[in-house]
Amino acid sequence: MHDSETFLAAAQDLLGERGLTHDPDLVGPWLTDWRGRFTGRALALASPESTAEVAALVALCTEHRVGIVPQGGNSGMSGGATPDASGSQLLLSLRRMNAIRSLDASAHQAVCEAGVILEALHHAAEAEGLRFPLSLGGKGSATVGGLISTNAGGTQVLRHGSMRALVLGLEAVLPDGSVLDQLTPLKKDNRGFDLKQLLIGSEGTLGIVTAATLKLEPAIAARSLIWAGLPSLAAARALLLHCQAGEADALEGFEVMPRHCLDTVLRFLPGARAPLAGAHAWHALIELDADAAGADALAARAEALLAEAFERGLVEDAAIAQNEAQAGAFWALRENIAPAERAAGPAVQHDVSVPLESVPGFVEAATAAVEARWPGHRAVAFGHLGDGNVHFHVIAPPGVDGLPWQETEGKAISRFVHDLVAQWRGSISAEHGIGQLKRDELRRLGDPVALAVMASVKHALDPFGIMNPGKLL
Amino acid sequence: MHDSETFLAAAQDLLGERGLTHDPDLVGPWLTDWRGRFTGRALALASPESTAEVAALVALCTEHRVGIVPQGGNSGMSGGATPDASGSQLLLSLRRMNAIRSLDASAHQAVCEAGVILEALHHAAEAEGLRFPLSLGGKGSATVGGLISTNAGGTQVLRHGSMRALVLGLEAVLPDGSVLDQLTPLKKDNRGFDLKQLLIGSEGTLGIVTAATLKLEPAIAARSLIWAGLPSLAAARALLLHCQAGEADALEGFEVMPRHCLDTVLRFLPGARAPLAGAHAWHALIELDADAAGADALAARAEALLAEAFERGLVEDAAIAQNEAQAGAFWALRENIAPAERAAGPAVQHDVSVPLESVPGFVEAATAAVEARWPGHRAVAFGHLGDGNVHFHVIAPPGVDGLPWQETEGKAISRFVHDLVAQWRGSISAEHGIGQLKRDELRRLGDPVALAVMASVKHALDPFGIMNPGKLL
């Protein structure tokens, strides 16, 4: 037998029929990332059902030097869960490990296996009068393991932080097959390096997250949604500071979009209506939330906050959603920017962050620079102003053929945008991770000192390089 | 010249006269830790004045394989900043690097050099209507660098987190002399391993923190202090949950102490008075805070919270401080537990944490077990209930000779307590770090998987073992 056959036979013995498959119909759907940018091949698809099986499998992979590509819901944005083209890597799905091992409502904690789907966690928390305060578009497929490995963000980071802030404990299988059990949540623990933090956001290159203890919050009992029309992004930042000064504890989200994005969504979304009558250069969507204790007072607080903003000249116009249906309609305008733009024509996307106070300056400078250098193109920035994180999209001129444009101008534009981000001391990956999509750009623009440390740590923990090879580093 | 003389000559050239000294009068005070448990010797005392000087000095130390012991205010609790007895290690003080490089009041951020003293940061923030929400007994000497390297805690962790939660950016000199510059605060940044988190709490074993960007909060405009008498620690936890459900956003601190601690303080502190008339097995000190926006409503909210606690039978008795003087008197009772106990006689101290919900069970079980095994001894636990972190002290019987008791029974008791903590899945160092004090206990009781990963990372980043040798690992 070839070595790969020996390996596969041993893996089959270990995992049983359900746990390892070569069936192209079963494996195929998981070989392409969901944006369709990367397609790979795999030795097989392994689906262990327990941490012990993952540990034994990883030890086997180490013995045979087989690369492992961990995968959750396959809804990542950077190709981080797609194997390479060699066919020599094992695709390791965590989807069968989908148990919520425990949910302690009084402690506000849930212990979830890596394969728990985000929406399932939302429902389990809701059933106990709680919530898990992180959500994103792929919530119906994204898994806890993937969210942790990519340190996922979303629209609630402003108040609750990224995934990193919500992980109280972690269990992971390390490259040598040992199990790091740090599931017990200790609010204070100063026994050396925080290995949990090292694994969060490491994209499966240091180990495989198999379970986590996650933080839950009281359910939302009331929310107030404000839509504001603004003359500039600088005005949006002033409004954000106003909201943070007055209602920091209630401020759940602060999203911005320029007029062009709103117009694109209004053309795309059947029945959609502009929240405000007039035209504004920028729009902000602001959510204030309260749990049961603060529910009654919230509407009055939102009105007072907005009244003061009018008084101080911080908004051109604004509206408060009058009911949940209208609140849903406001959010739909924000959530449909990406699909509306995809439908409108080819574009290149950049998930970037800069220091909070630099966002208006960066967006203005980058928009002007891109549009001057590529005439006919349009740059738009929208997203999470409160996190310093905008999605900076550059839209091809009308009539351009998408594919060749992506490969030529598109790539040149991305490099140009990333150069600007580096000059502004920002990040070329605010929330989507590096994966295989941005690996070369990270090498080109990343701090050589930080990259050297990462390489050292990677080599120390994974000397044979079997953990998600070709990703991130 | 001997190699150490060559090294010292080169270091003197680099740092100048003020930057390197052998004068025993100048070096001596820094060779003993502040609790007086460890005394070492040093090759010299280096006091660089810039990050560039630290980097050059570390490179020189690497070249000559000279061990470096970084030191801030020398107020650590675990001997982490004291050199060993060999006299071959260089004591590296960061105290000259005490500039607040910038303070951006609108962004709520300050960039501080490692040697900035905590109290100086408090004053600088106050001057801008802000505060740095971490404080502890040693604030007059503890430095930003030391606080970060030990991931310091204190009485405000409940609401604001440990140092880890307040560090937005970091600059550090790595063992090869390179400078890791991650000072720019990015709220979202998913470009690989979070090296900042790896350095925080690593006790100088991976690098030397030279500066940090720290998070500031709005100044406190009003506070309400409640003193509650309770029948048990379980009742204190029920009261804590009540406070968190009703006033999570205002709850700044929740400290507990048993009757014995209060009595000891009342005997120790001239003029001190018990806040409540009756006798209670346990006492809780609860602080609610508000910034300017919430100041007017705070007193009424505290009263309502307490009224409901009475109604639900959660307290035996309680009082609200009527003015700042009384609030100060309440806090003085808490802050004087440690000095009062030191004055009362010999004791061994343990800074431990367990999962929040286990604190009452752990304290009850550990107290009973220790007092049964060591008749005549008394165990008391007090501290940060809201963080799962109690200081568990075991007091020697009256009349015992302190020193021999410390060395025999004292050490046996500590091992016994640490064993219990491990059984309860807790931490033998909640907030004081490992240093040299608990290194052997960490080796004995720590998770071998975690220890192996720590050793790998340490070796990868510091192959010659020059960074704070003999500490933590």
Side-chain angles (χ1 to χ4, degrees), chain B residues 347-363:
Chain B
V348 280
Q349 293 94 24
H350 311 92
D351 160 47
V352 305
S353 65
V354 292
L356 300 184
E357 64 277 16
S358 302
V359 176
F362 166 77
V363 169

Side-chain angles (χ1 to χ4, degrees), chain A residues 273-294:
Chain A
R273 292 182 49 189
L276 304 174
H280 306 278
W282 283 86
H283 296 261
L285 175 59
I286 305 157
E287 180 166 329
L288 302 178
D289 286 351
D291 60 18

Side-chain angles (χ1 to χ4, degrees), chain A residues 146-188:
Chain A
L147 293 165
I148 292 172
S149 299
T150 58
N151 185 28
T155 52
Q156 294 164 297
V157 173
L158 180 60
R159 185 170 173 199
H160 302 284
S162 299
M163 202 66 192
R164 186 180 298 283
L166 302 171
V167 176
L168 306 175
L170 196 72
E171 179 191 88
V173 172
L174 301 178
D176 64 358
S178 61
V179 178
L180 182 73
D181 178 0
Q182 302 200 332
L183 278 177
T184 305
L186 294 172
K187 195 166 168 192
K188 280 184 180 171

Side-chain angles (χ1 to χ4, degrees), chain B residues 125-343:
Chain B
E126 278 157 24
E128 299 289 337
L130 298 169
R131 64 176 174 142
F132 180 65
L134 184 142
S135 193
L136 36 71
K139 66 184 174 185
S141 53
T143 60
V144 163
L147 294 165
I148 293 173
S149 299
T150 58
N151 185 28
T155 52
Q156 294 164 299
V157 173
L158 180 60
R159 184 171 175 199
H160 301 285
S162 300
M163 203 64 193
R164 187 180 297 285
L166 302 172
V167 176
L168 305 175
L170 196 72
E171 177 190 87
V173 172
L174 301 178
D176 64 358
S178 61
V179 178
L180 181 72
D181 177 359
Q182 303 199 334
L183 278 178
T184 306
L186 294 171
K187 195 166 168 191
K188 283 183 177 171
D189 182 13
N190 279 347
R191 288 176 294 174
F193 314 161
D194 194 334
L195 302 177
K196 189 175 75 209
Q197 298 294 346
L198 185 61
L199 284 158
I200 296 169
S202 66
E203 302 189 13
T205 62
L206 297 179
I208 296 169
V209 172
T210 47
T213 307
L214 300 174
K215 183 181 178 181
L216 305 177
E217 294 283 349
I220 293 175
R223 66 171 176 167
S224 278
L225 235 66
I226 299 171
W227 189 285
L230 300 154
S232 66
L233 195 50
R237 173 155 163 83
L239 181 61
L240 169 64
L241 291 175
H242 168 71
C243 293
Q244 286 179 317
E247 292 293 346
D249 293 334
L251 187 63
E252 179 95 0
F254 195 108
E255 300 287 306
V256 293
M257 69 184 77
R259 181 177 175 171
H260 183 272
C261 285
L262 179 59
D263 291 346
T264 306
V265 175
L266 292 173
R267 279 194 301 272
F268 169 77
L269 201 63
R273 294 180 50 187
L276 305 174
H280 306 278
W282 283 86
H283 296 261
L285 175 58
I286 305 158
E287 178 166 331
L288 302 178
D289 286 351
D291 59 19
D296 293 345
L298 187 71
R301 284 166 65 188
E303 279 164 28
L305 186 75
L306 187 54
E308 207 188 324
F310 269 111
E311 211 166 282
R312 293 178 52 196
L314 293 172
V315 295
E316 291 177 339
D317 192 10
I320 297 184
Q322 294 305 305
N323 48 51
E324 272 297 304
Q326 204 174 6
F330 282 9
W331 265 115
L333 296 174
R334 164 65 185 89
E335 285 162 355
N336 278 283
I337 295 175
E341 292 218 329
R342 268 198 298 274

